[in-house]
Amino acid sequence: MDSTRLALICLLTPLVSATVIVLFLRRAGALASVISTAAAVVTAITALMLAYGGHRFGASAEWFSFGDFTLSLGIKFDDLAALMLCIVGVVGFCVHLFSLGYMHDDDSKARFFGGLSVFMFSMIGIVLADNLFMMFIFWELVGFSSYLLINHYCLKQSAADASKKAFIVNRVGDFGFLIGILMCYWTYGTVDLSALKDVVGGGAMLSTAMPLLLFCGAMSKSAQMPLHVWLPDAMEGPTPVSALIHAATMVAAGIYMLCRIDVLMVADALNVIMWVGTVTAFYAALCAVVQSDIKKVLAYSTLSQLGYMVAAFGLGSLMVEHDGEEMLISAGVGAAMFHLTTHAFFKALLFLGSGSVIHGCHHEQNIFKMGGLAGKMKVTFVTFTIGVLAIAGMPLFSGCYSKDAILHLAQANNPAVFGILVFTAVLTSFYMVRMWKLTFLGAPRSDAATNAHEGGFLTMQLPLIVLAVLAFAGGNTHGALNVYGHAFNDVWSQIPHAEGLNVILMSLGILIVGAGLALVFYKSSESDALATKSHAVFTGLTAVKEFPDALYNHYVAKVQDRFAMLLNFLEQIFLTGLVVRGLAGVVGLFGLGARALHVGSLHAYVYWFLLGAVMLWGFAGGLF
């Protein structure tokens, strides 16, 4: 099949699904779920056909022109786009399949599956976009679909607040992103990704402001500090939404966008991006340590891993030896996309695993009210354990390979960042093993845990098994165990590889220290050991977690609201009072005068007519 046609099928199938559901199936939830899942199947199959069928192409069509400005909609499909499209397609299909069981009894599942289809269409549009304007259009559609899905339980106040918070925070970052796009067009006369590469390669001057403005979009979508506050609250949405949008795909859009505009980056901008990612990774890991909600632990874990990816991108290029010759590789792009890929698999697995736990425990989310689930939910336990080992960096699991690539790059380019990221990795092992132990081991600590049960095989266990396989083997990009073939070699060739026994020892050391502390510290599962044994540390970490929200709330209450009140006062006095009502008063006076002239006397009208004729004669004769 023609490459462009196949890409359009992949892009438009979810849009057709969403349109049919919205127009005809709003009260037919079962049929809507089947159509949306079928669309996800088509999307996944066409994504894999494009990636593994040798389809690498570009296509573009003019949308509209305004003077010298022309906006085109086009497709840029290279190895980078192929990799991201496969992630969106495969994870999206697994989430749809899992949702069939998880949302089975939901009265509004037609709206839910319609929102999933809108999201799939929007995300695929970002992946295929060949220019920044087109990317921005789908970027906003992703924000819209995220708002809909977070707000699925719209009668719940916390869900409504979380959706509004996500929408507003993302608009802040997107404003900077839009300014950066306009600045790019003003500077280079184009926002086409291929043309920008040619222009920059031809020696065009680069600025620091432009890439940092574009990075604002990534800060909001990928939840980097200080625009990270929306992601933990977004866990108010259904768990499959958390797996699809807030773990594997939407939050990865910012990383993908950065890799797309790598040619625009300068050293100062990369340095800022590196430190933003590093601080976010460390901060979020500290916050995850004090969480008791299973989804909140995974939310802050996502923040931390996204920080890893951003830091990796900011670490930039690396000189490596290849076939006896030294060559410069875009190691930041390679390491960031590698960790994005492995993270998509193991974090989607962990979120869907948490959804299986929540579903089996009758919607209980507090890990201190679980326990003893290993024997009651065997498939969930095994697959969830694989996800925990992958994110903790267990050798031979996917997360070990991608995290080691980032640490190797950091060690080579910035030892300070390397030290912070190593400590963050220890914290990751600590809070993930803490959550795993409290959830699955020991005795049940509530009626919900006592009566827990496994979900159906086809809809809730099979997606976990598929993702568990990918979470285990997804780090093998070379050699006999390569699970990707040769489809993404342009991306994999940029990965910085650290070889030797030292890599394995470092990974094992990080895992043993973090996991060992968690197992020792949480011998008893009745209460939070950190809160009871180290109350000062627990209180301090809780304050660190809550500080950004408190700061924003203080700003809104003390600055923004008062400034809005001042503007309202000035509007009432000057605009409404003097301008609108003042002019209305003047017009009213003229009206009163004109009305006074209408006395109903023919003689008076004749005099007015003669006076008017004299004035007209005087004006025509030049007397006035």
Side-chain angles (χ1 to χ4, degrees), residues 123 211 307 350 424:
M123 193 65 208
L350 289 169
T424 302

Side-chain angles (χ1 to χ4, degrees), residues 45-358:
I45 292 174
T46 51
L48 294 172
M49 289 174 63
L50 282 165
Y52 288 94
H55 299 272
R56 300 296 184 270
F57 67 99
S60 182
E62 183 179 313
W63 189 23
F64 76 89
S65 296
F66 185 76
D68 295 332
F69 173 74
T70 300
L71 179 59
S72 298
L73 298 181
I75 297 172
K76 178 179 172 65
F77 196 76
D78 53 9
D79 279 9
L80 185 63
L83 175 60
M84 192 69 187
L85 188 64
C86 286
I87 293 171
V88 174
V90 172
V91 174
F93 164 67
C94 290
V95 169
H96 274 77
L97 189 60
F98 184 87
S99 298
L100 289 176
Y102 191 87
M103 304 297 291
H104 182 267
D105 297 324
D106 194 286
D107 294 333
S108 302
K109 64 181 177 182
R111 173 160 53 85
F112 173 83
F113 279 96
L116 286 184
S117 291
V118 173
F119 172 79
M120 292 290 287
F121 165 69
S122 308
M123 193 65 208
I124 294 170
I126 290 177
V127 174
L128 297 179
D130 73 338
N131 65 82
L132 291 176
F133 276 127
M134 179 179 172
M135 184 178 288
F136 185 77
I137 293 170
F138 286 102
W139 194 270
E140 294 304 301
L141 282 174
V142 164
F144 167 71
S145 56
S146 172
Y147 169 81
L148 289 179
L149 291 168
I150 295 171
N151 196 31
H152 178 71
Y153 301 123
C154 52
L155 299 179
K156 188 178 176 183
Q157 186 61 45
S158 57
D161 292 341
S163 63
K164 288 186 288 186
K165 186 175 185 179
F167 189 83
I168 293 170
V169 172
N170 274 273
R171 296 295 73 72
V172 174
D174 293 353
F175 179 73
F177 186 30
L178 179 59
I179 298 299
I181 293 173
L182 296 175
M183 186 176 178
C184 182
Y185 183 80
W186 180 270
T187 304
Y188 302 119
T190 182
V191 291
D192 183 89
L193 297 171
S194 299
L196 284 173
K197 186 174 182 179
D198 294 337
V199 169
V200 174
M205 294 294 293
L206 296 174
S207 69
T208 302
M210 184 195 305
L212 288 179
L213 285 168
L214 294 171
F215 175 58
C216 288
M219 286 178 67
S220 57
K221 277 290 184 290
S222 295
Q224 297 299 289
M225 292 185 73
L227 300 180
H228 68 285
V229 292
W230 67 271
L231 184 59
D233 289 5
M235 296 303 108
E236 292 291 340
T239 303
V241 171
S242 302
L244 179 63
I245 295 183
H246 307 122
T249 54
M250 178 183 129
V251 291
I255 313 299
Y256 175 77
M257 183 268 287
L258 289 176
C259 295
R260 272 293 190 220
I261 61 170
D262 178 50
V263 295
L264 299 177
M265 291 295 162
V266 297
D268 289 341
L270 286 173
N271 194 51
V272 172
I273 292 171
M274 174 190 69
W275 281 110
V276 168
T278 303
V279 171
T280 302
F282 178 63
Y283 165 81
L286 291 176
C287 294
V289 170
V290 296
Q291 298 299 311
S292 58
D293 186 314
I294 188 171
K295 288 178 66 177
K296 288 291 182 72
V297 175
L298 294 176
Y300 280 106
S301 171
T302 300
L303 279 176
S304 185
Q305 298 306 305
L306 289 169
Y308 256 91
M309 299 174 210
V310 172
F313 179 83
L315 284 165
S317 302
L318 183 68
M319 189 68 71
V320 299
E321 187 174 332
H322 181 71
D323 294 335
E325 297 183 0
E326 288 192 339
M327 60 181 294
L328 189 68
I329 62 171
S330 299
V333 173
M337 285 303 299
F338 189 23
H339 198 54
L340 184 155
T341 304
T342 61
H343 177 264
F345 297 142
F346 64 67
K347 188 53 65 68
L349 168 63
L350 289 169
F351 263 111
L352 292 186
S354 72
S356 179
V357 168
I358 293 168

Side-chain angles (χ1 to χ4, degrees), residues 501-578:
L501 185 62
N502 290 337
V503 176
I504 298 176
L505 291 177
M506 182 175 68
S507 298
L508 281 175
I510 290 172
L511 178 62
I512 291 171
V513 172
L517 286 173
L519 293 174
V520 170
F521 212 70
Y522 286 90
K523 284 182 179 179
S524 173
S525 304
E526 297 300 325
S527 61
D528 194 335
L530 187 63
T532 55
K533 297 179 181 179
S534 304
H535 183 70
V537 174
F538 180 84
T539 304
L541 292 177
T542 303
V544 167
K545 175 184 74 71
E546 295 175 350
F547 176 74
D549 277 314
L551 183 62
Y552 282 129
N553 290 335
H554 179 80
Y555 163 76
V556 170
K558 301 300 183 181
V559 179
Q560 184 172 291
D561 283 356
R562 294 184 180 184
F563 182 66
M565 291 171 62
L566 175 62
L567 291 180
N568 180 66
F569 173 77
L570 295 176
E571 187 271 338
Q572 293 291 331
I573 296 298
F574 292 102
L575 189 61
T576 303
L578 295 179

Side-chain angles (χ1 to χ4, degrees), residues 367-368 370-371 434-440 445 522 525:
I367 57 178
F368 290 99
M370 296 179 182
R434 164 186 178 266
M435 178 184 67
W436 172 80
K437 180 182 184 301
L438 292 174
T439 302
F440 290 100
R445 295 183 295 277
Y522 286 90
S525 304

